[in-house]
Short mmCIF file of all heavy atoms in Angstrom, two decimals:
data_model
loop_
_atom_site.label_atom_id
_atom_site.label_comp_id
_atom_site.label_asym_id
_atom_site.label_seq_id
_atom_site.Cartn_x
_atom_site.Cartn_y
_atom_site.Cartn_z
N ARG A 60 12.14 7.07 14.69
CA ARG A 60 11.96 5.65 15.03
C ARG A 60 10.93 5.45 16.13
O ARG A 60 10.45 4.35 16.33
CB ARG A 60 13.29 5.03 15.46
CG ARG A 60 14.33 5.04 14.35
CD ARG A 60 15.69 4.48 14.78
NE ARG A 60 16.10 5.00 16.07
CZ ARG A 60 16.55 4.25 17.09
NH1 ARG A 60 16.66 2.96 16.96
NH2 ARG A 60 16.91 4.80 18.22
N GLY A 61 10.55 6.52 16.83
CA GLY A 61 9.57 6.43 17.90
C GLY A 61 8.14 6.63 17.42
O GLY A 61 7.21 6.62 18.23
N SER A 62 7.95 6.83 16.12
CA SER A 62 6.61 7.05 15.56
C SER A 62 6.34 6.04 14.46
O SER A 62 7.27 5.58 13.79
CB SER A 62 6.49 8.46 14.96
OG SER A 62 6.69 9.43 15.93
N ASP A 63 5.07 5.70 14.27
CA ASP A 63 4.69 4.82 13.17
C ASP A 63 5.04 5.48 11.83
O ASP A 63 5.02 6.72 11.72
CB ASP A 63 3.18 4.54 13.19
CG ASP A 63 2.75 3.68 14.36
OD1 ASP A 63 3.62 3.12 15.07
OD2 ASP A 63 1.52 3.56 14.58
N PHE A 80 13.87 -2.76 4.80
CA PHE A 80 14.81 -1.80 5.36
C PHE A 80 16.11 -2.56 5.64
O PHE A 80 16.08 -3.65 6.22
CB PHE A 80 14.31 -1.24 6.70
CG PHE A 80 13.04 -0.47 6.62
CD1 PHE A 80 11.81 -1.12 6.59
CD2 PHE A 80 13.06 0.91 6.62
CE1 PHE A 80 10.62 -0.41 6.55
CE2 PHE A 80 11.88 1.64 6.58
CZ PHE A 80 10.65 0.97 6.54
N GLY A 91 17.97 -5.92 9.41
CA GLY A 91 16.99 -5.97 8.35
C GLY A 91 15.58 -5.99 8.92
O GLY A 91 15.34 -6.54 9.99
N LEU A 92 14.68 -5.37 8.21
CA LEU A 92 13.27 -5.34 8.59
C LEU A 92 12.47 -5.42 7.30
O LEU A 92 12.75 -4.69 6.35
CB LEU A 92 12.96 -4.02 9.33
CG LEU A 92 11.50 -3.71 9.63
CD1 LEU A 92 10.89 -4.75 10.56
CD2 LEU A 92 11.38 -2.32 10.23
N THR A 93 11.52 -6.32 7.25
CA THR A 93 10.65 -6.42 6.08
C THR A 93 9.20 -6.40 6.51
O THR A 93 8.85 -6.93 7.56
CB THR A 93 10.92 -7.71 5.26
OG1 THR A 93 10.71 -8.84 6.12
CG2 THR A 93 12.33 -7.74 4.72
N CYS A 94 8.39 -5.77 5.70
CA CYS A 94 6.94 -5.70 5.93
C CYS A 94 6.24 -5.93 4.60
O CYS A 94 6.78 -5.57 3.55
CB CYS A 94 6.53 -4.32 6.45
SG CYS A 94 7.34 -3.86 8.01
N TRP A 96 2.10 -5.96 2.75
CA TRP A 96 0.67 -5.72 2.88
C TRP A 96 -0.02 -6.12 1.59
O TRP A 96 0.59 -6.10 0.51
CB TRP A 96 0.39 -4.23 3.15
CG TRP A 96 1.11 -3.70 4.35
CD1 TRP A 96 0.74 -3.83 5.65
CD2 TRP A 96 2.32 -2.95 4.36
NE1 TRP A 96 1.66 -3.21 6.47
CE2 TRP A 96 2.64 -2.66 5.70
CE3 TRP A 96 3.19 -2.49 3.37
CZ2 TRP A 96 3.76 -1.94 6.08
CZ3 TRP A 96 4.33 -1.77 3.75
CH2 TRP A 96 4.59 -1.50 5.07
N THR A 104 1.25 0.30 7.55
CA THR A 104 1.94 1.02 8.61
C THR A 104 3.06 0.17 9.20
O THR A 104 2.83 -0.98 9.55
CB THR A 104 0.96 1.41 9.74
OG1 THR A 104 -0.09 2.21 9.17
CG2 THR A 104 1.65 2.19 10.84
N VAL A 105 4.25 0.76 9.28
CA VAL A 105 5.36 0.13 10.00
C VAL A 105 5.30 0.69 11.41
O VAL A 105 5.45 1.90 11.61
CB VAL A 105 6.72 0.44 9.34
CG1 VAL A 105 7.84 -0.29 10.08
CG2 VAL A 105 6.71 0.07 7.86
N LYS A 106 5.07 -0.15 12.38
CA LYS A 106 4.89 0.29 13.76
C LYS A 106 6.21 0.78 14.37
O LYS A 106 7.28 0.27 14.06
CB LYS A 106 4.33 -0.85 14.62
CG LYS A 106 2.95 -1.31 14.18
CD LYS A 106 1.94 -0.22 14.43
CE LYS A 106 0.53 -0.69 14.14
NZ LYS A 106 -0.42 0.38 14.31
N ALA A 107 6.09 1.75 15.25
CA ALA A 107 7.26 2.34 15.91
C ALA A 107 8.08 1.28 16.64
O ALA A 107 9.31 1.35 16.67
CB ALA A 107 6.82 3.43 16.88
N GLY A 108 7.42 0.30 17.22
CA GLY A 108 8.13 -0.76 17.93
C GLY A 108 9.09 -1.53 17.03
O GLY A 108 10.13 -2.00 17.49
N LEU A 109 8.77 -1.64 15.74
CA LEU A 109 9.67 -2.30 14.78
C LEU A 109 10.75 -1.33 14.31
O LEU A 109 11.93 -1.68 14.24
CB LEU A 109 8.89 -2.83 13.59
CG LEU A 109 7.95 -3.99 13.87
CD1 LEU A 109 7.11 -4.32 12.65
CD2 LEU A 109 8.73 -5.20 14.33
N LEU A 110 10.36 -0.10 13.98
CA LEU A 110 11.35 0.89 13.53
C LEU A 110 12.42 1.13 14.59
O LEU A 110 13.58 1.33 14.28
CB LEU A 110 10.67 2.22 13.19
CG LEU A 110 9.88 2.26 11.89
CD1 LEU A 110 9.13 3.59 11.78
CD2 LEU A 110 10.78 2.05 10.70
N GLY A 111 12.00 1.09 15.86
CA GLY A 111 12.92 1.32 16.96
C GLY A 111 14.01 0.27 17.07
O GLY A 111 15.01 0.48 17.75
N LYS A 112 13.84 -0.87 16.42
CA LYS A 112 14.85 -1.92 16.44
C LYS A 112 15.98 -1.65 15.43
O LYS A 112 17.02 -2.28 15.49
CB LYS A 112 14.21 -3.28 16.17
CG LYS A 112 13.25 -3.68 17.29
CD LYS A 112 12.69 -5.05 17.08
CE LYS A 112 11.69 -5.43 18.14
NZ LYS A 112 12.20 -5.48 19.49
N LEU A 113 15.74 -0.71 14.50
CA LEU A 113 16.79 -0.31 13.57
C LEU A 113 17.71 0.71 14.25
O LEU A 113 17.24 1.52 15.06
CB LEU A 113 16.19 0.31 12.31
CG LEU A 113 15.37 -0.62 11.42
CD1 LEU A 113 14.67 0.17 10.32
CD2 LEU A 113 16.24 -1.71 10.83
N PRO A 114 19.00 0.69 13.94
CA PRO A 114 19.90 1.65 14.58
C PRO A 114 19.71 3.07 14.03
O PRO A 114 19.19 3.26 12.93
CB PRO A 114 21.29 1.13 14.21
CG PRO A 114 21.09 0.38 12.93
CD PRO A 114 19.72 -0.21 13.02
N MET A 152 17.30 7.24 10.04
CA MET A 152 16.62 6.93 11.30
C MET A 152 17.19 7.81 12.42
O MET A 152 18.39 7.94 12.57
CB MET A 152 16.81 5.46 11.65
CG MET A 152 16.35 4.49 10.60
SD MET A 152 14.57 4.64 10.35
CE MET A 152 14.39 3.79 8.79
#
Side-chain angles (χ1 to χ4, degrees):
R60 297 177 315 131
S62 299
D63 291 349
F80 297 81
L92 171 63
T93 59
C94 301
W96 304 279
T104 302
V105 183
K106 297 293 186 183
L109 292 173
L110 286 173
K112 295 184 183 299
L113 294 172
M152 303 297 164

